[in-house]
């Protein structure tokens, strides 16, 4: 890949002579004399106008890959770029000294990847995903960026950071792995198209959580008089799912969250399996993230003596595995959420029996999740702990009650679920990983 043209030529002339149509080079570029570019067959490198590239830099564009460097970009000394899929650096971005951009990683040396056992570093092959630096992004000295990462417009990555997951626009990120330390009001800069994450919820009324709506009830400047009557104009979905959607949108305002809540009141696993199948058949939606949880009605119907609607544990397990089999084919990440326990809906002894049975269904859901590489969110333990420490339920107006009726949740119960969901998302950095480009 090293040039053999005359040293008397400018760097731009040398590169044009070496690579011809595989290189698109803009005007007024400041390219170091020792810039060593490698462009394999079928690859392409684009360098925009007024790009500065200092000494010791080495861009390598491997077979079939593309690198696109925008206008007014500054690349510091001893910067290394190695590309198998693609890298795009937006206008006005800066890449400081001694930094490393690799859009690929070695695959593990499994028997499937290296069936012959060949002992060479590249025998297992590579997993690759593009890297994007949006306009105005700045990488400080000695920063490493790994495959699949997108760094937002105006973002500033501090020295010595390792960026292994995407960074939001208008933020300062530092550390290993790099994490956002603070946000700022970013200067005007061209913005990439907004990313969209589609999040689905499949479950019972605890996910659906319908509330009656009249516009006047929520208009602070035009609230109805106390004692007056209003007409229910419709239903809105609220509860922990609605609040989680608001939390996601507030935490990642540069991302569009397409929330699809398929919760249905009274649904058993039998019903929800039909909902999952029908959703795929009618909409064909691919999901980035799905929350799946059911079982409380499967158990409750038996204790209500509604035996035709009740679902025993074996049938429940079959439905749950079928849903996970199907969802795994078009969902990037699945979170199975346990059911919340029954509250004071019957005599204490009956409630205890109901919860003993429901816990068996939660155990089956946890096993199904593990078998399908899905996360399992156990809200049972924190929910019962909160119920133990809070005041005994005294009706739906009791601020210490987690349940409005022993099954459906109050705002306090919803908050317990919300906190557990947010904690799981944060611990596993799920949204950050979903914002990365897949390999």
């Amino acid at each position: 890949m090293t040039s053999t043209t005359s040293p008397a030529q400018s760097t731009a002339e040398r590169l044009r002579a070496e690579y011809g149509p595989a290189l698109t080079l803009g005007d007024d570029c400041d390219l170091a004399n020792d810039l060593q570019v490698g462009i394999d067959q079928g690859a392409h490198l684009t360098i925009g106008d007024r790009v500065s590239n200092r000494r010791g830099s080495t861009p390598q564009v491997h077979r079939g890959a593309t690198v696109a460097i925008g206008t007014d970009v500054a690349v510091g000394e001893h910067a290394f770029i190695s590309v198998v899929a693609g890298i795009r650096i937006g206008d006005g971005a800066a890449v400081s000294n001694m930094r490393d951009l690799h859009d690929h990683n070695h695959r593990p040396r499994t028997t499937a990847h290296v069936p012959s056992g060949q002992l060479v570093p590249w025998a297992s092959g590579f997993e690759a995903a593009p890297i994007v630096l949006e306009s105005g992004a700045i990488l400080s000295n000695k920063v490493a960026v790994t495959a699949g990462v997108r760094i937002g417009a105006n973002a500033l990555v501090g020295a010595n950071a390792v960026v292994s997951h995407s960074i939001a626009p208008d933020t300062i990120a530092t550390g290993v792995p790099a994490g956002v330390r603070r946000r700022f009001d970013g200067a005007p800069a061209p913005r990439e198209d907004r990313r969209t994450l589609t999040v689905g919820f499949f479950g019972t009324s605890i996910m659906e959580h319908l509330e009656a709506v009249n516009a006047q009830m929520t208009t602070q400047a035009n609230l109805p008089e106390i004692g007056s009557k209003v007409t229910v104009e419709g239903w809105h979905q609220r509860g922990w799912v609605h609040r989680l959607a608001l939390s996601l949108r507030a935490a990642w305002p540069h991302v569009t969250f397409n929330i699809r809540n398929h919760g249905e009141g009274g649904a058993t696993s039998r019903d929800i399996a039909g909902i999952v199948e029908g959703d795929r058949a009618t909409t064909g939606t691919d999901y980035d993230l799905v929350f799946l949880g059911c079982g409380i009605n499967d158990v409750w119907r038996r204790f209500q003596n509604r035996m035709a609607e009740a679902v025993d544990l074996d049938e429940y397990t079959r439905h749950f595995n079928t849903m996970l089999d199907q969802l795994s084919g078009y969902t990037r990440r699945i979170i199975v959420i346990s059911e919340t326990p029954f509250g004071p809906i019957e005599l204490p002894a009956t409630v205890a029996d109901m919860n003993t049975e429901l816990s068996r269904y939660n155990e089956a859901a946890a096993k199904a999740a593990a078998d399908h590489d899905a996360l399992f969110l156990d809200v049972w333990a924190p929910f019962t702990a909160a119920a133990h420490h809070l005041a005994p339920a005294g009706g739906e107006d009791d601020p210490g009650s987690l349940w409005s009726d022993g099954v459906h949740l109050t705002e306090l119960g919803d908050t317990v679920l919300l906190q557990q969901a947010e904690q799981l998302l944060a611990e596993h950095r799920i949204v950050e990983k979903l914002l990365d480009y897949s390999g």
Side-chain angles (χ1 to χ4, degrees):
M1 291 185 179
T2 303
S3 172
T4 57
T5 54
S6 167
Q9 293 177 299
S10 70
T11 303
E13 291 171 332
R14 170 170 62 85
L15 294 177
R16 287 191 177 104
E18 178 80 11
Y19 295 110
L23 171 69
T24 301
L25 183 57
D27 297 329
D28 301 321
C29 293
D30 181 10
L31 306 179
N33 291 333
D34 65 347
L35 177 63
Q36 297 297 319
V37 172
I39 307 176
D40 284 344
Q41 183 177 1
H44 193 274
L45 170 63
T46 298
I47 299 176
D49 297 336
R50 299 179 300 280
V51 169
S52 171
N53 202 316
R54 299 303 182 190
R55 64 187 178 90
S57 294
T58 311
Q60 295 181 348
V61 193
H62 298 283
R63 186 181 301 272
T66 59
V67 173
I69 300 174
T71 61
D72 300 304
V73 171
V75 179
E77 297 181 358
H78 302 290
F80 187 69
I81 298 176
S82 182
V83 186
V84 169
I87 288 180
R88 179 159 53 87
I89 301 176
D91 295 347
V95 179
S96 298
N97 302 330
M98 294 177 286
R99 61 88 190 98
D100 184 2
L101 300 180
H102 260 74
D103 74 343
H104 55 284
N105 298 301
H106 286 274
R107 296 193 301 184
R109 286 181 51 84
T110 63
T111 54
H113 294 156
V114 195
S116 66
Q118 184 182 18
L119 284 175
V120 293
W122 53 87
S124 60
F126 298 90
E127 295 173 340
I131 292 173
V132 174
L133 274 68
E134 294 186 11
S135 299
I138 297 175
L139 304 183
S140 301
N141 289 343
K142 299 181 180 179
V143 168
V145 180
T146 62
V149 165
R150 173 173 172 165
I151 299 175
N154 294 325
L156 172 61
V157 180
N160 301 304
V162 176
V163 187
S164 56
H165 294 297
S166 295
I167 302 296
D170 306 327
T171 58
I172 295 175
T174 61
V176 180
V180 172
R181 305 307 172 201
R182 70 177 178 89
R183 302 176 186 273
F184 55 84
D185 182 16
R191 302 300 170 106
E192 303 284 338
D193 293 338
R194 290 176 65 88
R195 298 290 299 276
T196 296
L197 295 182
T198 300
V199 185
F201 295 84
F202 294 90
T204 66
S205 56
I206 294 174
M207 284 189 182
E208 182 185 39
H209 198 121
L210 292 181
E211 289 185 2
V213 175
N214 178 292
Q216 192 177 359
M217 297 288 288
T218 57
T219 304
Q220 292 294 309
N222 189 33
L223 293 175
E225 295 292 333
I226 295 176
S228 63
K229 295 182 179 180
V230 296
T231 301
V232 173
E233 298 173 338
W235 305 98
H236 284 180
Q237 291 180 321
R238 288 296 185 261
W240 75 272
V241 171
H242 172 69
R243 296 171 66 185
L244 179 61
L246 296 178
S247 177
L248 292 172
R249 289 165 177 150
W252 288 275
H254 62 290
V255 178
T256 297
F257 288 92
N258 176 22
I259 305 296
R260 303 174 69 89
N261 188 345
H262 299 285
E264 183 169 298
T268 64
S269 61
R270 188 185 300 150
D271 303 313
I272 296 168
I275 293 170
V276 170
E277 185 174 359
D279 173 64
R280 187 60 179 174
T282 56
T283 71
T285 302
D286 290 334
Y287 290 95
D288 294 289
L289 175 64
V290 159
F291 286 83
L292 173 65
C294 58
I296 195 166
N297 290 316
D298 300 50
V299 173
W300 193 15
R301 296 297 175 260
R302 180 160 65 83
F303 282 86
Q304 292 174 312
N305 289 318
R306 296 162 61 176
M307 304 309 293
E309 301 169 61
V311 178
D312 66 29
L313 184 59
D314 287 342
E315 183 184 352
Y316 169 84
T317 302
R318 290 197 304 273
H319 290 316
F320 219 101
N321 280 288
T322 297
M323 287 187 284
L324 288 174
D325 284 340
Q326 186 165 11
L327 288 167
S328 296
Y330 49 86
T331 304
R332 295 172 62 194
R333 202 70 171 107
I334 300 174
I335 297 174
V336 173
I337 182 169
S338 75
E339 292 287 63
T340 55
F342 290 99
I345 192 172
E346 297 282 354
L347 294 174
T350 303
V351 171
D353 289 343
M354 295 167 69
N355 280 331
T356 297
E357 184 69 5
L358 184 56
S359 66
R360 296 173 62 219
Y361 285 64
N362 280 339
E363 290 170 2
K367 183 179 185 306
D371 291 343
H372 289 81
D373 195 29
L375 289 173
F376 183 71
L377 174 57
D378 180 12
V379 300
W380 185 284
F383 207 89
T384 53
H388 176 75
H389 291 289
L390 292 168
E396 61 182 23
D397 295 328
D398 183 351
S401 175
L402 299 177
W403 299 271
S404 62
D405 57 7
V407 176
H408 302 98
L409 305 180
T410 62
E411 288 188 347
L412 183 58
D414 280 325
T415 302
V416 175
L417 258 66
L418 173 67
Q419 289 179 339
Q420 295 303 309
E422 289 180 325
Q423 181 177 327
L424 183 78
L425 293 175
E427 285 180 352
H428 293 270
R429 303 189 69 180
I430 290 173
V431 175
E432 291 91 338
K433 292 176 182 179
L434 291 174
L435 291 173
D436 295 343
Y437 295 101
S438 58

